[in-house]
Amino acid sequence: MLQNTEDQSQKSVASSSLEGQSNDDSFENIWQELKWRGLVHVSTDESELEQVLSGAPITYYCGFDPTAPSLHLGNLVQLLTMRRLQLAGHHPLGLVGGSTGMVGDPRPTAERSMNTKETIAEWVGYLQGQVARFLSFEGDNAARMVNNLDWTAPMSAIDFLRDIGKHFRVGTMIKKDNVASRLSSDEGISYAEFSYQILQGMDYLELHRQYGCLLQTGGSDQWGNLTSGTELIRKVEGKQVHAFGTPLITNSDGTKFGKSEGNAIWLDPNMCSPFSMYQFWLNSADADVIKLLKVFTFKKRDEIEALAAAVEDRPHAREAQRVLAFYVTSLVHGEEATQKVIDASGALFGKADLGLLDEATLVAATSEVTRVVVDREELSVLNLLVASKLAGSLSAARRTVGDGGAYVNNVKIADPDSVIDDTDLLHGRYLLLRRGKRTLAVIEVEA
RNA sequence: GGCAGAUUACCCGAGUGGCCAAAGGGGGCUGACUGUAAAUCAGCUGGCAUCGCCUUCACUGGUUCGAAUCCAGUAUCUGCCA
C-alpha cells in the first residue's frame, strides 16, 4: 500500500511541456512577480521573505491531499506557483498527503467522510503523477516528491503527543478559522480533524529537518495550517521559516470558480475532457480573464497588458479568452490534444452545416466530446438525452425539450416525443446532440 | 452516564394530523437579448407509462380512515450537567 516516493518521482520525469516556461525578468525578483500576478494573499514577514527568495536557492514545499482521484484547478494554482518558484532557482518538494488525507483537513461546513486506506493509497499514486508533471526533475534544482505517510506512519501515538503535541496549545488551535467555524456550527468537529493542523505542522518540521525547507505555500484557506508549521519550527528549532497563502480564486459574478455543469474541472482527462476544460476557459467572463491569465499562465506582463487592452477595445473578439483557453489546456493536456479541441469547437459551434462535414472530419472534431453508443431501437430524443447524460432523467429530458433547449444536429427539437429516423443520421450512424448553447454529446448508432 | 434540543429535497430553511412532492431564499438548468461573456427579464428545478401514478421529510416499528407532523426504539449531532 505504501507508495515509494523515490520510484514515483522517477517514473514521472518531467515532460517537454515544461520547456519554454520562464518567469518575467522585467520584475525585480520572483516575489514581485508573484505579487503582480495576484498570488500572494497572506504571508509571514514580507520583507524578510522577499529577501530569502531573492538570495541563494532555498527549499520549499506545497502539499496535496488525496481527497479525490485527481487534482483540480484550485490545485493548479499551487502547482504553477511551485513551478514559478522553481524557475526562480529554488528547490521544490512536492508533498502528497498519504497521512493527512486519512485524517481530513477540516472544512468550514462539515466533517469529511472517510475513505478506505486502500482508496487513499491509490489516489496518492495518481496525485504524485499529476504533481510531478508540473515540476522539473532535472538540473540543479530538481524537484523531489515526498509522502508524509513515510514519517507519520512509523510514529507511535505516545511519541506524537510528547514530541509534537506538547508544543501545541489548544487555545491557539481552536482559534484557527476552520476549527472555529466548525466549533460554532451545529456540526461540531471530530478530534481527528481537529488534529489535522498538528499533522501539517509536523510535516513542515520534518521537511525542515530533512531538507532544510524554509517555505511552505498553499491556498489562503490553509493559512492556519501553514502557520502551525512555522510556529512549531520556531518553538522546536528556534528558526524563523516562512509561508504564504495564495488567494481563493473567485468569479466576479460571485459564483464559484472552477466549476462547470456543477462539476469541478479536474486535471485528469478521464474526469474532465480536454474539450470541457477548453470550453471552461473560453467561457471566462471579461471581468475575470486578465486575472486568470496572470494566475494560470506564464505569459509576461507586456503580453497580458496587451490582452487587457484587447478586452477593452474588442470584447466580442474574446482574444484574451482564446489565449487563456489554449494556454492552460495545453499546459494540462498538451498542445496536440488542445489543437484537436479547438478544431472541434470550430466545427461544432460554427455555422457550418454538419451534413457537409466528411466523416473523418466529423469524427476528429467530435473526438473530445462525450460519445455514447446506442442501439438503433433507442432513438427517441428523450432517450438520447438521458443516454448521453445531457439530462439526468427522462423527466429532466422532457423539461429540456419543453424549454426549447434540445437540439439534434443543430436543429431545435420541439416535440418531446420526436424519434430520430435514418435520414437524420450523419454518415449513417452519428448524431450531434446538444442541450442549451454549449453542452454537446455525440451519439453513435449501433448498426 | 444524566437532562434538554436537533435531524426536511443540491444548500439554507418553513411546515406540529388531511388542502404536502412539501412555502421562501440560494444555487442550478433552459429561453430571450448578446460575443459560446456579463447584466437583465421569463420559465423550470424528486421519479415515471405526465391531466394520473410512484417514492421521499435521519432509521426501524407503531397509533390512525389518513403522518414530514403523534408514540416507542435506534443512530448521528449540539448544548448543559456529571
Side-chain angles (χ1 to χ4, degrees):
Chain A
M1 274 323 117
L2 227 158
Q3 300 287 334
N4 182 317
T5 53
E6 289 298 321
D7 279 0
Q8 283 293 327
S9 62
Q10 274 161 26
K11 194 159 55 185
S12 330
V13 164
S15 66
S16 58
S17 67
L18 296 178
E19 280 171 22
Q21 292 175 357
S22 65
N23 290 330
D24 186 342
D25 54 23
S26 76
F27 288 97
E28 203 177 318
N29 55 48
I30 178 64
W31 184 248
Q32 289 303 320
E33 178 167 357
L34 291 173
K35 285 187 69 173
W36 175 77
R37 290 189 183 274
L39 287 169
V40 180
H41 185 252
V42 276
S43 75
T44 48
D45 188 290
E46 193 181 330
S47 55
E48 213 177 295
L49 178 51
E50 181 170 8
Q51 269 197 329
V52 168
L53 287 174
S54 306
I58 61 156
T59 297
Y60 63 98
Y61 99 94
C62 180
F64 302 89
D65 271 2
T67 54
S70 172
L71 297 174
H72 51 73
L73 291 186
N75 303 123
L76 186 59
V77 177
Q78 303 312 318
L79 290 169
L80 296 180
T81 302
M82 289 186 84
R83 178 61 179 153
R84 293 179 204 286
L85 287 165
Q86 183 176 36
L87 287 167
H90 302 294
H91 298 263
L93 293 172
L95 180 149
V96 174
S99 66
T100 37
M102 287 203 230
V103 171
D105 187 13
R107 289 180 297 183
T109 47
E111 196 82 7
R112 288 180 187 273
S113 57
M114 279 214 190
N115 295 302
T116 65
K117 290 185 175 184
E118 289 73 23
T119 301
I120 291 169
E122 191 183 330
W123 290 353
V124 163
Y126 298 150
L127 298 207
Q128 282 171 330
Q130 289 188 336
V131 172
R133 283 194 14 245
F134 290 87
L135 298 170
S136 168
F137 288 82
E138 288 157 10
D140 292 340
N141 59 335
R144 178 188 286 271
M145 296 297 296
V146 294
N147 181 347
N148 56 18
L149 194 61
D150 293 349
W151 55 85
T152 313
M155 194 173 218
S156 77
I158 296 296
D159 287 342
F160 173 74
L161 290 173
R162 281 181 66 90
D163 298 343
I164 305 294
K166 190 68 178 170
H167 299 288
F168 283 81
R169 309 304 302 176
V170 169
T172 312
M173 290 174 71
I174 61 174
K175 283 187 202 140
K176 307 260 168 160
D177 279 354
N178 285 354
V179 174
S181 63
R182 282 281 293 284
L183 280 172
S184 62
S185 76
D186 289 348
E187 186 90 7
I189 187 169
S190 68
Y191 183 71
E193 290 198 0
F194 176 60
S195 311
Y196 185 92
Q197 52 182 298
I198 300 184
L199 286 180
Q200 190 164 333
M202 185 168 84
D203 288 344
Y204 199 169
L205 176 62
E206 175 67 24
L207 294 174
H208 176 72
R209 284 174 170 163
Q210 208 174 330
Y211 303 106
C213 185
L214 291 178
L215 170 67
Q216 181 182 185
T217 63
S220 60
D221 58 328
Q222 288 289 304
W223 186 240
N225 295 328
L226 301 183
T227 53
S228 105
T230 58
E231 281 168 35
L232 179 63
I233 292 172
R234 184 169 52 75
K235 283 180 186 166
V236 175
E237 302 286 308
K239 293 253 187 65
Q240 176 65 52
V241 296
H242 294 278
F244 76 84
T246 59
L248 183 69
I249 308 294
T250 54
N251 290 335
S252 54
D253 61 6
T255 56
K256 266 187 194 154
F257 170 80
K259 300 257 178 177
S260 164
E261 297 281 308
N263 301 312
I265 304 291
W266 303 100
L267 303 191
D268 184 332
N270 297 316
M271 292 171 69
C272 174
S273 72
F275 181 84
S276 302
M277 176 174 283
Y278 182 84
Q279 290 293 321
F280 170 80
W281 294 110
L282 191 66
N283 284 313
S284 301
D286 295 355
D288 297 320
V289 67
I290 297 304
K291 176 176 71 186
L292 297 174
L293 279 164
K294 289 179 181 175
V295 172
F296 288 99
T297 77
F298 290 91
K299 290 279 175 198
K300 306 295 183 283
R301 176 159 51 177
D302 52 359
E303 289 177 88
I304 292 178
E305 281 170 357
L307 286 167
V311 173
E312 284 287 316
D313 298 344
R314 324 174 271 286
H316 53 276
R318 295 188 302 153
E319 291 163 52
Q321 279 90 343
R322 284 178 214 286
V323 170
L324 177 69
F326 176 77
Y327 196 103
V328 187
T329 311
S330 299
L331 200 63
V332 177
H333 297 299
E335 274 192 37
E336 195 182 327
T338 306
Q339 195 53 53
K340 276 194 209 166
V341 165
I342 292 173
D343 294 344
S345 301
L348 302 178
F349 287 108
K351 303 278 187 277
D353 182 348
L354 288 167
L356 299 179
L357 292 177
D358 64 62
E359 184 164 356
T361 308
L362 182 72
V363 170
T366 56
S367 63
E368 293 295 336
V369 177
T370 307
R371 177 177 297 260
V372 188
V373 178
V374 300
D375 204 82
R376 200 167 274 272
E377 315 296 307
E378 309 280 316
L379 290 180
S380 81
V381 169
L382 295 182
N383 274 335
L384 294 177
L385 283 166
V386 174
S388 62
K389 301 213 169 76
L390 253 40
S393 66
L394 278 179
S395 296
R398 201 178 288 273
R399 267 180 243 124
T400 297
V401 175
D403 288 344
Y407 300 79
V408 171
N409 296 338
N410 287 343
V411 177
K412 183 179 285 193
I413 300 299
D415 177 10
D417 297 317
S418 300
V419 175
I420 304 302
D421 65 63
D422 286 3
T423 58
D424 295 319
L425 298 178
L426 304 170
H427 302 290
R429 55 193 176 122
Y430 299 107
L431 286 170
L432 181 68
L433 199 61
R434 176 154 61 91
R435 194 199 70 221
K437 284 180 190 168
R438 44 184 180 238
T439 313
L440 297 166
V442 172
I443 307 290
E444 186 175 340
V445 179
E446 192 116 76

